[in-house]
Amino acid sequence: MRFACFLLFWCSGWALQAQQGFTFTRFTTDDGAGLSSNVVYSLYQDEKGFLWVGTANGLQRFDGSKFVHFGVGGNEAMPFNAVTQIIPFSGGKLLLNFGNLHEIGVFDPAHFSYKKLAVQTVRPLPAKTDFILWKDAYGEIYLNVSRYGVLHFKAAENAFVDDHSFPFPTGYFPTLNGVYDDAVKGQVWFACAEKGLCVYDRKSRQMWYRGYNPQHLPLLMNEEVQDRPTEFFIDRQRRFWIFAWPVKTPKGQIKFCLDSSGRNYLQKDTIGLTGMSIGYAEYRSFLDAKRSGLWIYGLNVFYNWDANEGRFHYTKSTAGNGINSIQYNAVHQLIEDRDGNIWVATDRGLYFTSYGSGTYSVVNYLFDNSKEQNNINDVLELPDGELWFASWGKGVLALDSSFKEKPIPVYQKPPPANWPDLQKSSVKLAWNLFYEKRTGDVWIGCNHGVLLKYNPVKKTTQYLLPPACGMSTIRYITEDKVGNVWLGTQSGRLVKWDGRAFTVVQEIGTIIYKIFTDRQGELWLATEGKGLFEVEPQSGRIVRQFTKETAPHLYGNSGSDIEQLNDSIIVFGAGALNFINKNSGTVTLLRFEDGLPSNSVRRLRMDGDGFLWIVTANGLSRYNPYNNRITTYGRKDGITLAEQTADADYRTQKGYIVFTGGDALMMFKPSLFVTSSEPPDAVITDFKIFNQFIPVDSLTQLPHIKLSPDQTSFSIYFSSLSYQQRDRLTYYFKMEGIDKDWQAADGVYFHNYSLLPPGRYTFKVYAVNVEGVRSKGTTELHIVVKPPFYRSMWFMAALIFLLILIVYFLHRERVNRLLAVEKIRNRVARDLHDDMGSTLSTINILSAMAKSKMTTDPVKTAGYISKISDNSQRMMEAMDDIVWSIKPSNDTMQRVTARMREFATGVLEAKDISLQFVVEDEVFNVKLNMEARRDFFLIFKEALNNAAKYSKATSVKVNVAVQNKQLMFTIKDNGTGFDVAKADSGNGLGNMKKRADGVHGRLRIRSADGEGTEVKLSVPVM
């Protein structure tokens, strides 16, 4: 889009040759955008469109809305120091010059890493050495070291080395800003302050200078430019620019400009650079911009070439917020962005200004109020292209080509002597101007019904006081299709002049601000408080009246301007925009809620391409009827006075739009605001998960972004990275996998996604400009939301395996239980067979023997019966033990110790043996399985029976305890004892040991003749 530069262009044959200047937008640390320092040294726009900014506090990046600070910690930390140069490096990396530190390093935005580069010299560096990086036409990078020479970057060594890339003659050391690579001729020029100029010719690999000039180059033979040159530049016109601080004729810094041959001085091309008193200054650098021309800048220096005036224009450092103010002591760097606009790095902040194209597109002019106040009410263009203005106080005035007031002999003839003083004093209280085509007269409507007709050719003035106007201020004058002139007054009279007489056609009863003749010849009246009237010019009757109260409803009843959008649509500015369909009589509103900058429309004017230009309380905007879009224009476009130009409008013969009011004038060419080219592709500027920003450079390098299950809520930020167009682009996006259709980003540059289900997604976004032109490419970001672990494939496989394992173990447990039951049944059967079977067999034998001896030997019979009784008793006890061990309720140690105590008491009391039975509390926490519990008890039972039967003791002590994860009991008597070594197993000792081994226990028996016996069993427990 061609955007505005300030205060100069040729308009309708009227050459506005006032001093031109650019409108600057300033960024500082105070505006909340995030700039870390007002001292800005360096600038670079990368391929994506990001603007990299080197400040006194380190490196930052600007995406059009905010500055992001970049820092790298670790072993090779990137310094938070002045970044004096930013040079593009391979692979999207940046080469940074930390001038104050004499450090050069490479920053990789994609991997967020920094690598310091070595500077290797063959001799010590001089004191107060400075570094300047530069890249030649072939991409080779060099380092200018003041008073030393040029070092070459070697990628293999990752260092700048002194490889004598340029064979300088002895004593030739290039200055920091004295290098220019002439890609056209394959030569590199060097300004060496101590010796003069030299040039390296790539083809011959020779260094030419005034002592060796085989090609007889005129510049090398020119002794004047050899005197301490410090800056060298070749512009697009192939002119040589050489700045020097001569010693032979010390006059400060001298500026030379020579033609492409190097022979002829071009003094006219340096006009403006010299002769101005701007104090001490250093002209250091050049920018030859494609669209805005040549710039020269440095310390207290900021010039640009004014193509129309044929001279350099000096932009002075001025404080405040003027329409073209910029503050600086030093301008460190200028760059031209990909839109052609200029970014300015200064020691007072970062500045932006839109470009010019030789013929500048916007005029912002303030009339001189130093002597008398200006209140401009109307503007008119004469057939010769001259613009006239109606002023309340000064009457009619014009501006010459230098923007100075041009006298017009309207008032050479005084008003009639017989006029009342009130009317005499009103002739310069002008409200409107009208050019009558038939006569060539300019009509001037004034206060209190005064009307002047001035003929510019004859230079004659007529003073009229039409009675039809009723001494009321004439607010508007126009003509209809047949040449009748119509006047609207402050009191609401609609007056017609048919060439013969003034006639009152309608009494509206309120101020008539404007009379508009549509394409079909109908008249429309904009009024105060009574809405919009349609009047038939032939009969003068009111055809229709549109108001806020009656259907179809207007937005407001007071409006000051009318325009026609097409054959059927009338636009009335009454608060909001009111679109009246002449054919259907319907009214459509365009309000603030619908995108209008303000519900206070002041002026309307159609341009030649069918766009409607609007001035509201919020400035200038444009309505595009082809896509129903509103576009605003402001300081970034060179528009600075729009809010003040709310009283009159005009479209010139050459198509320029003029708005004016108060003491302000704004003019522009609408076509320069139209963009038919594609907008830049949208770029993903930020990626935020919850409230944390993730470095987007590294993310965009990945084939897809992987998000964990707890990162399903995130925001994606996007922008076209065009600061000027950013607010005028509409972004369309969709997330494939969720969205079916494209969605428009309504005035925002991001979109939030919440609780995305697991899956693969592709975020797509593109931009559309105000003309409906879409960006060439669609930006994509691939995202994978990983499922939670319980929905992942590995978890599902593990779960299936676990289920199979559980089924297996359940089956195995069931089998084990069946086997255990079978084992119990077998053991019970074995016990029943062994104990019960043998006992019953014995009882059976004894019964038979007793039966046989019953009559013959009663004594033996009684003995047999006694044995039968004893065996029966043992069988009952054995049966009771089997049943007790099987019963689940007896699994606790409380039941086990209770049975042990019960058994011990019953056995020992029968023998009159005292019992001391102790159970420690820890025992009750022990768990034993059924078999261990049964064997533990039976060993105890056997040991206690032995003590009762054979020990002849009077006292038995029983202690049950847990020690070192061992369940143990101790039975100690004070009986006669026995020799353990000589004892046989007849008393059940062998059986006891067998049972102890079965439960992995340890049985210890200590006894001696006359010392009693101690039986101790320990069983491992968990």
Side-chain angles (χ1 to χ4, degrees), residues 660-698:
T660 187
D663 62 348
L665 168 67
M666 177 178 66
M667 307 174 64
F668 57 89
K669 190 173 184 179
S671 61
L672 297 177
F673 288 87
V674 176
T675 296
S676 57
S677 59
E678 299 166 343
D681 290 344
V683 174
I684 305 299
T685 59
D686 285 298
F687 193 88
K688 185 171 72 172
I689 299 177
F690 296 108
N691 289 320
Q692 182 179 3
F693 284 95
I694 308 300
V696 71
D697 301 87
S698 56

Side-chain angles (χ1 to χ4, degrees), residues 475-476 489 511-515 526-529 558-561:
R475 296 297 299 264
Y476 204 83
T489 71
I511 302 173
I512 299 174
Y513 288 117
K514 185 169 184 175
I515 306 170
T527 70
E528 171 65 34
S558 298
S560 58
D561 210 353

Side-chain angles (χ1 to χ4, degrees), residues 614-812:
I614 311 159
V615 171
T616 72
N618 282 7
L620 178 68
S621 58
R622 188 193 71 172
Y623 172 69
N624 185 339
Y626 309 111
N627 56 22
N628 204 36
R629 289 180 180 172
I630 292 285
T631 307
T632 59
Y633 299 90
R635 192 178 186 89
K636 289 191 293 186
D637 314 297
I639 302 293
T640 59
L641 299 176
E643 294 88 345
Q644 303 175 49
T645 59
D647 295 322
D649 54 86
Y650 198 86
R651 190 176 88 194
T652 69
Q653 301 169 43
K654 294 291 183 67
Y656 290 87
I657 300 295
V658 182
F659 289 107
T660 187
D663 62 348
L665 168 67
M666 177 178 66
M667 307 174 64
F668 57 89
K669 190 173 184 179
S671 61
L672 297 177
F673 288 87
V674 176
T675 296
S676 57
S677 59
E678 299 166 343
D681 290 344
V683 174
I684 305 299
T685 59
D686 285 298
F687 193 88
K688 185 171 72 172
I689 299 177
F690 296 108
N691 289 320
Q692 182 179 3
F693 284 95
I694 308 300
V696 71
D697 301 87
S698 56
L699 291 180
T700 54
Q701 299 293 318
L702 301 173
H704 51 260
I705 301 172
K706 290 184 178 181
L707 301 178
S708 61
D710 60 347
Q711 296 177 324
T712 57
S713 296
F714 54 86
S715 303
I716 301 175
Y717 292 73
F718 43 82
S719 174
S720 69
L721 298 182
S722 170
Y723 175 68
Q724 192 171 46
Q725 297 188 51
R726 184 174 185 268
D727 298 332
R728 301 192 192 102
L729 297 177
T730 301
Y731 296 94
Y732 292 89
F733 65 89
K734 72 174 178 178
M735 181 73 82
E736 288 188 349
I738 292 181
D739 302 326
K740 293 183 179 179
D741 301 315
W742 291 93
Q743 302 180 53
D746 188 14
V748 295
Y749 309 103
F750 67 94
H751 190 71
N752 297 320
Y753 289 96
S754 300
L755 303 177
L756 257 65
R760 292 182 174 270
Y761 303 95
T762 300
F763 179 80
K764 295 183 176 182
V765 60
Y766 65 88
V768 176
N769 65 19
V770 293
E771 314 302 337
V773 180
R774 174 176 170 168
S775 58
K776 183 177 181 180
T778 299
T779 302
E780 297 184 356
L781 188 65
H782 301 282
I783 301 171
V784 175
V785 178
K786 295 189 291 185
F789 74 92
Y790 54 82
R791 294 184 59 184
S792 61
M793 291 299 295
W794 68 265
F795 180 81
M796 298 299 291
L799 186 61
I800 293 172
F801 176 75
L802 183 61
L803 288 174
I804 293 173
L805 204 60
I806 290 172
V807 170
Y808 168 75
F809 279 114
L810 289 175
H811 174 70
R812 183 177 175 181

